[in-house]
């Protein structure tokens, strides 16, 4: 990269100027009140992205009419009561030098009555099975006219609140997209014209909010049978009144092809840039693009090559709001690992981040050094141990980190070697670099006991020793080799010719998938009704079809192993026992139990600020998100206790 990377250059958008080419994309976050009103939590989140250097910060797909609401805490722009909260948000973002954008949306067939309280409506009565399959009512002409008016009125509210930029959501299978798509617009009246609705919406926004910068986000392809392909989409966009727009923003997919909306980590970074390039040729307005733009080199390549003028980043800035500033100045950033835990949490409520414990609670993140630095030992160098050590060291504490393995990362580093998780190594590498720069005194290859720490004069101890698989006590267990799946990965053994899994959870699925791709014949037996039941839909959207198509995979689900022999297993399915072929080693994947053998011995050392457990060792693990959140909270607990202890001594 040159000393001035291409994404650092300003960009004119309508009558506005972006300070750089990084746009914080309209990512759904579920941070609003239940009625769609802006909250302090959401303002804090968005302001943090503005402070991190994004030139334009979008909120999210915001519903213009109540029956278009798709998430329980989705932002609304449907009534005037929303204006004060949006204005407060806009003022706060402007204070950090960024522009403010709102994306106007209506869910159409993707909105469900259980969330919105209304029967969904759509161009044609085609249900969306992905979100429950409720049959939408077909919009009549009067209701279409009302919706067009609602888009315009929503834009006017945003303008009154101080919003700079409006984007119309014309992609991802929402209402505007439904009119555009032959898969979902089966009308035979004037609204069968695929671009009539969006052109009328564009006109309505201009009428209600004259002069506001206006753009369109759309899917370059749907990737579903009968839907829009790249060529047809290009023709549709050419028929839209783009002379009344100030930018285009290219994405992909719809709800039936969700892997194209939010791509898995297995897919190439920046994969949508080639789909954006034709729109740069066709139109004289700036073009943006999304899609796995998770590193500065990818962003630079896209802009320098002329494929797009700006990059729309959602998960990348979710993981590290400082990414723009760090990319511009060459600093280190916390990487997104494309696990899709964020999107898979949407149905439950406010979304977290697997790698950033402060997402959604930005106001709680420490911003000043600890008042009373202390000396802390962290035992265990997996995600929770590394996170605890980093948070403590960043606060100014003196940290010594021990791990019995020869390198940091724990079982998560093992997972990063699997085909499904090619981005996982990035967060392990980031932690290693952070700990080195923060001066954490790291000792690997050291098996700790109480005597190891006895003379260290530690004020606090953090136990992050992870977990171990539960023991398997079944008749015949002595007849063959049996290992926990994590033990198998730690061994580094080559892919066997055949192997049998007892368990069909997340870990079993990922390891089986990797072995299948290496040519191993796999038998999977599990009590679960489906493979990877503990993984969200987006997190396994590519994995499950691949497993279903694998010729070398045999599965026996809803089944319990009752007896083991050298080559077979006796399994019980719905109370019926049968013997099934189960060749090779038996790999067990039944989760983990806390590995806290040291806890009592460490407590006997009685460090004045206590012994604290994090991650799997505390029983709060099971995901990297849980691990890093408990670690961050423990670090804050130690910091607070140190101040309290000093005050008590002083008193």
């Amino acid at each position: 990269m040159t000393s001035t990377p291409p994404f650092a250059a300003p960009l004119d958008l309508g009558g506005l100027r972006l300070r750089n080419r990084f746009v914080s994309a309209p990512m759904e976050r579920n941070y609003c009140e239940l009625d769609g009103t802006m909250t302090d939590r959401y303002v804090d989140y968005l302001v943090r992205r503005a402070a991190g250097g994004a030139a334009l910060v979008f909120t999210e797909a915001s519903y213009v009419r109540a029956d278009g609401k798709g998430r329980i805490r989705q932002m609304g722009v449907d009534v005037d009561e929303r204006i004060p909260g949006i204005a407060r948000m806009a003022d706060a973002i402007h204070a950090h030098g960024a522009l403010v954008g709102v994306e106007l949306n209506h869910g159409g067939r993707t909105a469900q009555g259980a969330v919105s309280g209304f029967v969904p409506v759509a161009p044609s009565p085609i249900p969306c099975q992905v979100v429950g399959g409720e049959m939408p009512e077909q919009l009549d002409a009067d209701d279409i006219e009302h919706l067009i008016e609602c888009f315009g009125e929503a834009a006017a509210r945003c303008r009154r609140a101080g919003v700079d930029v409006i984007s119309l959501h014309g992609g991802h299978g929402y209402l505007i997209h439904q009119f555009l798509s032959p898969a979902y617009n089966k009308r035979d009246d004037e609204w069968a014209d695929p671009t009539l609705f969006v052109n009328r919406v564009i006109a309505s926004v201009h009428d209600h909010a004259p002069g506001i910068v206006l753009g369109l986000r759309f899917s370059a392809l749907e990737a579903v049978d009968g839907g829009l392909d790249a060529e047809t989409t290009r023709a549709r966009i050419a028929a839209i009144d783009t002379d009344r727009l100030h930018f285009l923003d290219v994405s992909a997919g719809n709800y039936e092809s969700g892997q194209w909306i939010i791509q898995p980590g297995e897919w190439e970074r920046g994969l949508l840039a080639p789909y954006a390039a034709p729109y740069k040729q066709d139109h004289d307005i700036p073009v943006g693009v999304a899609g796995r733009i998770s590193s500065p080199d990818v962003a630079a390549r896209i802009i320098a090559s002329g494929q797009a003028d700006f990059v729309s980043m959602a998960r990348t800035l979710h993981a590290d709001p400082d990414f723009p500033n760090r990319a511009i100045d060459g600093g280190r950033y916390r990487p997104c690992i494309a696990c899709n835990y964020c999107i898979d949490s949407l149905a439950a409520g406010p979304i977290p981040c697997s790698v950033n414990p402060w997402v959604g609670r930005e106001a709680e993140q420490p911003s000043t050094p600890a008042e009373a630095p202390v000396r802390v030992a962290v035992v265990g160098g997996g995600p929770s141990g590394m996170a605890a050590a980093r948070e403590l060291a960043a606060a100014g504490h003196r940290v010594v980190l021990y791990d019995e393995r020869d390198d940091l990362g724990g079982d998560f580093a093992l997972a990063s070697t699997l085909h499904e998780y090619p981005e996982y190594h990035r967060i392990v590498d980031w932690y290693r670099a952070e700990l080195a720069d923060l001066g954490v005194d790291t000792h690997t290859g050291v098996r700790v006991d109480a005597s190891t720490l006895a003379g260290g004069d530690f004020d606090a101890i953090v136990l992050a020793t992870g977990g171990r698989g539960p023991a398997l006590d079944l008749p015949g267990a002595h007849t063959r080799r049996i290992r926990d799946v994590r033990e198998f990965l730690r061994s580094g053994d080559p892919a066997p010719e055949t192997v049998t899994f007892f368990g069909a959870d997340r870990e079993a699925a990922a390891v089986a998938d990797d072995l299948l791709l290496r040519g191993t014949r796999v038998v999977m037996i599990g009590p679960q009704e489906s493979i990877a039941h503990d993984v969200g839909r987006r997190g396994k959207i590519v994995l499950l079809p691949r497993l279903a198509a694998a010729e070398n995979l045999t599965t026996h689900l809803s089944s319990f192993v009752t007896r083991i022999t050298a080559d077979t297993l006796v399994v019980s399915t719905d109370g019926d026992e049968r013997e099934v072929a189960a060749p090779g080693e038996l790999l067990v994947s039944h989760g983990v139990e806390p590995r806290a053998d040291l806890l009592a011995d460490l407590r006997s050392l009685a460090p004045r600020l206590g012994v604290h457990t994090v991650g799997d060792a505390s029983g709060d693990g099971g995901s990297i998100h849980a691990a890093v959140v408990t670690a961050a909270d423990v670090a804050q607990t130690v910091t607070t206790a140190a101040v309290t202890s000093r005050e008590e001594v002083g008193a």
Side-chain angles (χ1 to χ4, degrees):
M1 260 195 267
T2 62
S3 57
T4 304
F7 46 65
L11 175 68
D12 290 331
L13 203 68
L16 302 174
R17 171 158 285 199
L18 276 63
R19 59 187 175 187
N20 57 53
R21 307 302 179 93
F22 291 120
V23 171
S24 180
M27 177 183 185
E28 289 179 297
R29 301 172 180 108
N30 256 340
Y31 288 174
C32 285
E33 302 287 3
L34 290 172
D35 67 357
T37 300
M38 181 63 60
T39 61
D40 289 343
R41 179 186 198 179
Y42 205 176
V43 173
D44 291 340
Y45 176 96
L46 296 169
V47 165
R48 187 68 185 81
R49 274 72 203 161
L56 168 59
V57 177
F58 275 101
T59 54
E60 61 184 54
S62 304
Y63 57 91
V64 301
R65 199 171 77 174
D67 59 354
K69 179 180 180 180
R71 307 291 181 190
I72 56 175
R73 293 185 180 274
Q74 185 177 359
M75 179 175 160
V77 285
D78 55 327
V79 292
D80 288 353
E81 285 75 11
R82 309 283 177 259
I83 295 174
I86 298 172
R88 181 165 50 86
M89 174 269 297
D91 288 344
I93 290 175
H94 286 149
H96 289 273
L99 301 175
V100 180
V102 172
E103 183 178 59
L104 304 184
N105 188 44
H106 187 286
R109 64 188 284 270
T110 70
Q112 300 295 292
V115 173
S116 71
F118 298 90
V119 175
V121 295
S124 301
I126 301 172
C128 182
Q129 300 297 338
V130 174
V131 294
E134 185 176 353
M135 180 64 72
E137 291 183 354
Q138 178 166 307
L139 287 160
D140 62 27
D142 288 343
D143 211 14
I144 291 174
E145 294 290 349
H146 182 252
L147 273 167
I148 291 168
E149 187 76 3
C150 286
F151 273 94
E153 290 173 351
R157 291 184 190 103
C158 291
R159 187 184 183 197
R160 285 168 57 193
V163 170
D164 305 295
V165 178
I166 292 293
S167 179
L168 301 175
H169 203 331
H172 297 177
Y174 296 120
L175 185 65
I176 292 175
H177 192 176
Q178 291 161 31
F179 275 99
L180 290 169
S181 172
Y184 309 111
N185 185 349
K186 305 293 186 181
R187 302 179 72 101
D188 57 9
D189 59 3
E190 64 175 322
W191 300 102
D193 176 348
T195 60
L196 177 59
F197 183 74
V198 66
N199 280 334
R200 290 287 307 282
V201 168
I202 291 169
S204 180
V205 171
H206 276 285
D207 290 345
H208 286 83
I212 199 162
V213 172
L214 177 63
L216 175 71
R217 195 174 209 207
F218 64 94
S219 293
L221 74 162
E222 286 190 274
V224 297
D225 292 340
L228 291 165
D229 58 20
E231 182 179 351
T232 309
T233 301
R234 192 174 175 186
R236 292 278 198 272
I237 300 302
I240 289 173
D241 295 335
T242 53
D243 58 322
R244 307 194 73 183
L245 299 175
H246 300 103
F247 66 92
L248 298 171
D249 195 7
V250 179
S251 185
N254 67 20
Y255 270 48
E256 282 77 10
S257 59
Q259 68 272 26
W260 281 94
I261 300 176
I262 302 171
Q263 304 83 14
E266 298 177 34
W267 288 14
E268 178 188 2
R269 297 182 199 168
L271 76 166
L272 297 184
Y275 293 98
Y279 297 97
K280 278 276 291 174
Q281 301 169 18
D282 296 347
H283 303 278
D284 293 328
I285 53 177
V287 172
V289 69
R292 294 271 290 124
I293 304 169
S294 58
S295 62
D297 61 312
V298 173
R301 185 183 74 234
I302 290 170
I303 294 168
S305 67
Q307 293 174 299
D309 298 290
F310 64 88
V311 289
S312 290
M313 312 174 86
R315 289 176 294 173
T316 297
L317 302 192
H318 192 63
D320 192 342
D322 291 317
F323 179 92
N325 285 339
R326 300 249 167 90
I328 290 170
D329 66 21
R332 183 167 52 247
Y333 58 93
R334 188 192 305 254
C336 169
I337 59 173
C339 64
N340 285 342
Y341 182 67
C342 50
I343 187 67
D344 274 329
S345 301
L346 263 174
I351 65 169
C353 176
S354 282
V355 299
N356 187 342
W358 302 110
V359 161
R361 51 182 199 156
E362 281 75 12
E364 301 173 28
Q365 184 172 5
S367 58
T368 57
E371 294 179 27
V374 294
R375 183 170 167 82
V376 185
V378 178
V379 184
S384 60
M386 291 190 297
R390 181 197 177 271
E391 295 290 335
L392 287 162
H397 300 298
R398 301 181 300 281
V399 182
V400 183
L401 174 63
Y402 300 89
D403 195 86
E404 64 185 11
R405 303 185 193 184
D406 293 331
D407 206 350
L408 300 178
D411 288 342
F412 196 79
L414 297 175
S416 71
T417 66
L418 301 176
H419 177 85
E420 189 186 1
Y421 304 134
E423 297 280 16
Y424 279 21
H425 73 92
R426 300 181 71 201
I427 192 64
V428 176
D429 294 343
W430 180 80
Y431 270 119
R432 290 169 179 164
E434 287 283 295
L435 296 179
D437 281 0
L438 288 168
V440 172
D441 185 7
T442 301
H443 301 269
T444 56
V446 176
R447 191 173 184 86
V448 170
D449 58 25
S451 65
T452 311
L453 307 184
D457 192 27
F458 293 109
D459 299 288
I461 299 173
V462 177
L463 187 66
T465 45
R468 59 168 63 90
L472 185 65
D473 184 17
L474 286 171
H478 65 282
T479 62
R480 67 196 301 175
R481 189 178 192 188
I482 300 174
R483 282 189 287 181
D484 185 82
V485 66
R486 295 163 190 79
E487 185 183 351
F488 168 75
L489 285 180
R490 284 195 293 270
S491 73
D493 290 349
E497 182 179 341
T498 60
V499 72
T500 297
F501 286 83
F502 181 22
D505 58 7
R506 174 185 60 196
E507 289 79 12
V511 177
D513 173 59
D514 191 76
L515 291 176
L516 285 162
L517 292 170
R518 297 171 187 268
T520 300
R521 289 188 294 113
V522 175
V523 175
M524 181 177 287
I525 301 165
Q528 298 87 356
E529 295 181 1
S530 60
I531 296 175
H533 72 290
D534 47 351
V535 179
R537 188 180 71 87
R538 294 288 177 85
K540 58 189 177 188
I541 200 168
V542 172
L543 170 70
L544 289 189
R546 186 163 62 229
L547 291 177
E551 295 181 357
N552 284 340
L553 175 64
T554 301
T555 60
H556 304 278
L557 299 176
S558 300
S559 300
F560 296 83
V561 175
T562 60
R563 192 166 66 254
I564 300 170
T565 74
D567 298 304
T568 67
L569 296 176
V570 177
V571 303
S572 175
T573 308
D574 295 329
D576 295 329
E577 282 198 346
R578 69 190 192 283
E579 191 171 15
V580 300
E585 181 178 357
L586 182 61
L587 300 182
V588 180
S589 188
H590 288 172
V592 296
E593 297 173 343
R595 186 178 171 218
D597 315 66
L598 277 174
L599 186 56
D601 288 344
L602 295 181
R603 283 177 174 163
S604 71
L605 298 176
R608 66 187 184 90
L609 301 181
V611 178
H612 309 267
T613 58
V614 295
D616 284 330
S618 69
D620 289 332
S623 71
I624 186 174
H625 166 69
V628 301
V629 168
T630 56
D633 289 345
V634 162
Q636 277 199 298
T637 298
V638 171
T639 297
T640 302
V643 174
T644 302
S645 176
R646 184 186 65 177
E647 291 173 349
E648 290 174 349
V649 171

